[in-house]
Amino acid sequence: MSRVLDVNGVTGGYGSVQILNGVDLYVDEGELVTVIGPNGCGKSTFMKVLFGIADRYEGTFIHRGVDVSSWRTDKLVKRGIAYVPQVDNVFPSLTVYENLQMGGLNMSSGVLKKRIDQACEMFPEMQLRMSDLAASLSGGERQMLAISRALISDPTFLLLDEPTAALSPKYQQDIIGRINELRKQGITVLIIEQNAKLSLARSDRGYIFVGGKVAHAAPATDLLNDPDIGAYFLGTR
Ligand SMILES: Nc1ncnc2c1ncn2[C@@H]1O[C@H](COP(=O)(O)OP(=O)(O)OP(=O)(O)O)[C@@H](O)[C@H]1O
Ligand SMILES: [Mg+2]
């Protein structure tokens, strides 16, 4: 199996405020991998460091054998890596269509149309809302729009930061199910989730972050069945 992402000893944070204390993890081709952990332990910071939004001090990000540690966001996107942040992941004052267009800047109109059509196959809800402002969407629809926009660049590796946060249980199931569909279509997925049980149930493997580093890594089924982990992280027992 080929390695999509290898993270080696990454430390980082915001200026002089260190948050990540040496993150090691990997994602293989075709996997769905979930990162869980308590609030404030650095999960979002980890993805932000990869995307150059927070600072990396040491360590490397290797994507498909290439060191992309210092790459700019646009170059990472061109390479097939897409990222949906935890907050502010749509432009509320733009329409759904305009938001999707933002995912394909510099794309020819023909390619853009094809990509939007493809995204709408996964999220048909967007088709019906094209000329509505993103501000008018429900929480679940906004997440669908954010993921749809990330799909416009035709990624092979998708990073999602809490796509089901603050959604109703029905929407949570729905979104995770569709993320799993994307994986079945060949997109490798790394997902940060508070709804750990839901996400781990679809995942190959999981990582538990504590204090800015990986405290535990295991196959998803092991994490789901471990009573200690259940007690701390999965809201069971
Ligand atoms: N822009 C910033 N500048 C300084 N510190 C920040 C910044 N953003 C986040 N932090 C701090 O970094 C730490 C880790 O935050 P982060 O958002 O990575 O946690 P998280 O694991 O994603 O938490 P949550 O589960 O709440 O999303 C927190 O102490 C947070 O206050
Ligand atoms: Mg977060």
Side-chain angles (χ1 to χ4, degrees):
M1 192 178 282
S2 66
R3 184 82 16 123
V4 171
L5 182 70
D6 233 322
V7 181
N8 309 294
V10 167
T11 59
Y14 305 91
S16 61
V17 181
Q18 182 165 351
I19 305 294
L20 301 183
N21 297 305
V23 174
D24 295 291
L25 64 77
Y26 70 89
V27 183
D28 278 334
E29 186 83 54
E31 279 194 313
L32 175 55
V33 174
T34 295
V35 172
I36 62 175
N39 291 123
C41 70
K43 304 180 300 294
S44 295
T45 303
F46 166 70
M47 285 192 181
K48 288 196 250 177
V49 169
L50 171 57
F51 264 77
I53 298 158
D55 303 315
R56 181 182 56 91
Y57 307 154
E58 298 167 296
T60 52
F61 291 98
I62 309 293
H63 177 251
R64 299 186 192 279
V66 173
D67 188 340
V68 298
S69 307
S70 305
W71 284 33
R72 279 176 26 187
T73 307
D74 54 340
K75 225 175 140 191
L76 293 173
V77 171
K78 277 207 189 89
R79 203 174 152 77
I81 310 175
Y83 162 54
V84 180
Q86 182 172 0
V87 292
D88 300 331
N89 55 22
V90 300
F91 299 98
S93 59
L94 299 182
T95 65
V96 167
Y97 183 73
E98 288 163 344
N99 266 276
L100 293 172
Q101 275 184 314
M102 298 293 281
L105 295 175
N106 303 324
M107 225 171 244
S108 75
S109 58
V111 174
L112 180 64
K113 185 183 178 311
K114 198 173 128 215
R115 297 277 172 79
I116 290 178
D117 288 348
Q118 281 169 348
C120 287
E121 277 174 33
M122 184 55 67
F123 297 104
E125 293 86 347
M126 295 301 106
Q127 194 78 63
L128 306 168
R129 308 294 303 268
M130 279 300 171
S131 50
D132 294 344
L133 291 182
S136 72
L137 300 179
S138 70
E141 287 168 338
R142 277 191 199 208
Q143 287 297 342
M144 290 184 190
L145 175 57
I147 300 170
S148 298
R149 194 182 64 207
L151 294 177
I152 301 298
S153 60
D154 200 20
T156 54
F157 183 34
L158 185 58
L159 295 102
L160 303 168
D161 191 349
E162 298 206 23
T164 74
L167 301 186
S168 66
K170 176 188 151 292
Y171 257 134
Q172 290 173 3
Q173 291 275 3
D174 189 7
I175 297 268
I176 292 286
R178 291 200 230 188
I179 290 166
N180 195 41
E181 282 303 313
L182 292 172
R183 182 262 283 270
K184 285 186 192 160
Q185 290 177 10
I187 301 179
T188 302
V189 183
L190 180 63
I191 178 171
I192 295 171
E193 254 308 332
Q194 290 285 357
N195 297 301
K197 266 200 287 191
L198 195 65
S199 184
L200 285 170
R202 307 279 196 157
S203 296
D204 300 291
R205 293 181 302 109
Y207 288 92
I208 300 177
F209 273 37
V210 177
K213 60 198 288 192
V214 173
H216 193 62
T221 45
D222 292 5
L223 293 177
L224 283 167
N225 294 326
D226 185 322
D228 291 336
I229 287 167
Y232 284 111
F233 297 106
L234 308 181
T236 56
R237 294 215 164 198

